[in-house]
Amino acid sequence: MNIDELLRGYDTGNLAIGTLASHSALQIMHGAKKEGFTTILVALRDRAWFYRDFDHLIDLIIEVNSWRDICKPEIVEELRGYNTILVPHGSFVEYVGLECGESINVPLFGTRSLLRVEADQKLKMLLLMKAGIPTPRVYELSDDVRGPVIVKLPGAKGGKGYFIASSNSEIEAKLRKYIEDGLLRSPREAIIQEYIVGVTAYFHYFYSPVLNRLELLGADIRYESDVDGLRRLPVGILEELGIDPTFTVVGNLPLVLRESLLPKIIEYGRRFVDASRGMVSPGVIGPFCLESVIDRELNVKVFEFSGRIVAGTNLYIDGSPYSYLYWDQPVSMGRRIAIEVRLALEKGLLEKIVT
């Protein structure tokens, strides 16, 4: 697939912005509409009714029976017929599969080769370490674990299947169960990290190749079930119930950071952008998120990243305190993506932001 050849076949005066009908689709559509683009959603048939209620934001809904249908030749042809740039979000690879996500013959906003890194917890940690960003200790299965640790499954699962353990035997038993249930192919796919006590904080960045600028556009805290519900119960009752807390994300809470933390957070974002260029070509483009814990000494350790728009940005469809500092108007992450497309068009740099 040659991206330059794909773009030569496009009427760039009539571009459309498209995405899957899930995750952060509504803000992507809202932002694209604000910047004057045609908007397209690929939706499952049984979910399309919901998105039709937003027909003032969505120009076309392409209905499919399964997410992987997006890679069928007739769907690809339809998307290209509308000069569509696809915006991947957290549901993209998780639903369509890595092979489809990497090979779909439609221009993607952002770095296509980063999808493979995102699908592999070990590669994700390698990129963070190459960036020189402080991270929790990572254990191998052969290490002597003296907890607590958090064990995470590969891919963008929104915390589903994560668990806390304090011994090797506990980890091995739980992973065997996940393999039996089909959630995991091999224990080595999971990642075992030191559990750090502190406040979780998720930082939303946007790197602009057009402006050669890194922007911090927001931050959030994830509200997770049932770990956040269980903390309301006294310790004695928790022990009596014998419940293992889980970390499935059910929503997001806004977070405004201490200003004294911002230089460090932006520095980590810059390091990530620089390191990504050495690992995936041409490096990160557009939105990404560093996912961290901040301890009592205000140390920030990054335990994971997302290489695209995250659901926490849905908090800021009317703009965040930080996006106002850059743009002095309401700019969501969805709209920031559309602004980058518009600026790239105006400057003849479209090939710099799609892969």
Side-chain angles (χ1 to χ4, degrees), residues 63-87:
E63 295 187 26
V64 293
N65 293 317
S66 82
W67 290 120
R68 291 173 189 258
D69 288 350
I70 194 173
C71 278
K72 286 186 173 179
E74 60 270 26
I75 304 297
V76 169
E77 186 177 349
E78 186 170 8
L79 289 169
R80 286 170 55 178
Y82 285 102
N83 310 296
T84 305
I85 292 175
L86 273 181
V87 178

Side-chain angles (χ1 to χ4, degrees), residues 51-246:
Y51 289 95
R52 288 197 189 92
D53 286 346
F54 299 91
D55 57 3
H56 57 292
L57 301 178
I58 304 162
D59 293 311
L60 175 67
I61 296 177
I62 299 173
E63 295 187 26
V64 293
N65 293 317
S66 82
W67 290 120
R68 291 173 189 258
D69 288 350
I70 194 173
C71 278
K72 286 186 173 179
E74 60 270 26
I75 304 297
V76 169
E77 186 177 349
E78 186 170 8
L79 289 169
R80 286 170 55 178
Y82 285 102
N83 310 296
T84 305
I85 292 175
L86 273 181
V87 178
H89 50 54
S91 298
F92 189 69
V93 168
E94 192 66 24
Y95 290 167
V96 308
L98 183 59
E99 183 180 348
C100 171
E102 285 185 320
S103 65
I104 186 168
N105 214 10
V106 178
L108 291 190
F109 181 85
T111 306
R112 192 181 294 249
S113 53
L114 195 56
L115 298 175
R116 182 165 292 272
V117 177
E118 267 212 280
D120 187 318
Q121 292 282 15
K122 304 281 175 69
L123 288 177
K124 289 169 86 168
M125 293 309 298
L126 178 62
L127 178 48
L128 289 171
M129 287 185 278
K130 282 181 177 291
I133 295 171
T135 60
R137 177 183 173 182
V138 175
Y139 290 87
E140 298 296 329
L141 285 166
S142 57
D143 291 338
D144 183 17
V145 172
R146 298 181 184 272
V149 293
I150 184 166
V151 183
K152 299 188 287 189
L153 303 189
K157 290 180 170 57
K160 185 177 181 180
Y162 294 6
F163 64 92
I164 294 174
S166 57
S167 68
N168 294 78
S169 59
E170 199 177 347
I171 294 167
E172 290 164 7
K174 200 70 169 271
L175 291 181
R176 276 198 303 271
K177 181 69 166 59
Y178 283 170
I179 291 170
E180 290 169 7
D181 293 343
L183 294 173
L184 202 62
R185 290 176 299 181
S186 162
R188 298 193 177 279
E189 287 185 322
I191 189 165
I192 306 165
Q193 285 183 331
E194 166 194 14
Y195 186 87
I196 297 172
V197 176
V199 173
T200 55
Y202 298 75
F203 313 128
H204 316 153
Y205 302 89
F206 189 97
Y207 175 68
S208 167
V210 175
L211 300 179
N212 189 26
R213 183 170 81 181
L214 177 70
E215 300 168 11
L216 177 67
L217 292 188
D220 78 283
I221 298 170
R222 293 181 182 172
Y223 204 64
E224 297 163 328
S225 180
D226 46 19
V227 66
D228 284 316
L230 287 172
R231 67 184 176 185
R232 297 189 182 95
L233 296 176
V235 173
I237 293 179
L238 283 177
E239 291 176 352
E240 183 181 323
L241 291 173
I243 296 174
D244 290 329
T246 59

Side-chain angles (χ1 to χ4, degrees), residues 156-345:
K157 290 180 170 57
K160 185 177 181 180
Y162 294 6
F163 64 92
I164 294 174
S166 57
S167 68
N168 294 78
S169 59
E170 199 177 347
I171 294 167
E172 290 164 7
K174 200 70 169 271
L175 291 181
R176 276 198 303 271
K177 181 69 166 59
Y178 283 170
I179 291 170
E180 290 169 7
D181 293 343
L183 294 173
L184 202 62
R185 290 176 299 181
S186 162
R188 298 193 177 279
E189 287 185 322
I191 189 165
I192 306 165
Q193 285 183 331
E194 166 194 14
Y195 186 87
I196 297 172
V197 176
V199 173
T200 55
Y202 298 75
F203 313 128
H204 316 153
Y205 302 89
F206 189 97
Y207 175 68
S208 167
V210 175
L211 300 179
N212 189 26
R213 183 170 81 181
L214 177 70
E215 300 168 11
L216 177 67
L217 292 188
D220 78 283
I221 298 170
R222 293 181 182 172
Y223 204 64
E224 297 163 328
S225 180
D226 46 19
V227 66
D228 284 316
L230 287 172
R231 67 184 176 185
R232 297 189 182 95
L233 296 176
V235 173
I237 293 179
L238 283 177
E239 291 176 352
E240 183 181 323
L241 291 173
I243 296 174
D244 290 329
T246 59
F247 296 84
T248 303
V249 179
V250 298
N252 305 78
L253 303 171
L255 176 64
V256 176
L257 296 150
R258 287 176 58 158
E259 191 159 324
S260 60
L261 283 170
L262 296 182
K264 180 185 294 185
I265 290 163
I266 290 174
E267 172 62 23
Y268 289 174
R270 287 179 172 175
R271 291 184 192 179
F272 183 85
V273 170
D274 291 342
S276 70
R277 293 181 179 130
M279 193 163 175
V280 292
S281 182
V284 67
I285 296 167
F288 66 96
C289 177
L290 296 183
E291 306 176 8
S292 79
V293 174
I294 304 175
D295 69 17
R296 65 171 69 182
E297 304 299 328
L298 298 183
N299 298 306
V300 180
K301 286 197 175 182
V302 175
F303 57 82
E304 197 165 336
F305 75 83
S306 300
R308 33 71 197 169
I309 185 172
V310 290
T313 60
N314 287 329
L315 294 163
Y316 304 115
I317 291 178
D318 197 42
S320 77
Y322 303 110
S323 64
Y324 266 95
L325 294 175
Y326 292 103
W327 296 95
D328 200 27
Q329 63 173 322
V331 173
S332 66
M333 189 66 81
R335 188 173 185 183
R336 183 63 188 87
I337 291 168
I339 288 172
E340 191 75 0
V341 175
R342 177 175 55 77
L343 290 174
L345 278 172

Side-chain angles (χ1 to χ4, degrees), residues 16-32:
I17 290 179
T19 194
L20 297 186
S22 178
H23 193 268
S24 45
L26 288 174
Q27 68 151 305
I28 292 169
M29 296 290 94
H30 178 268

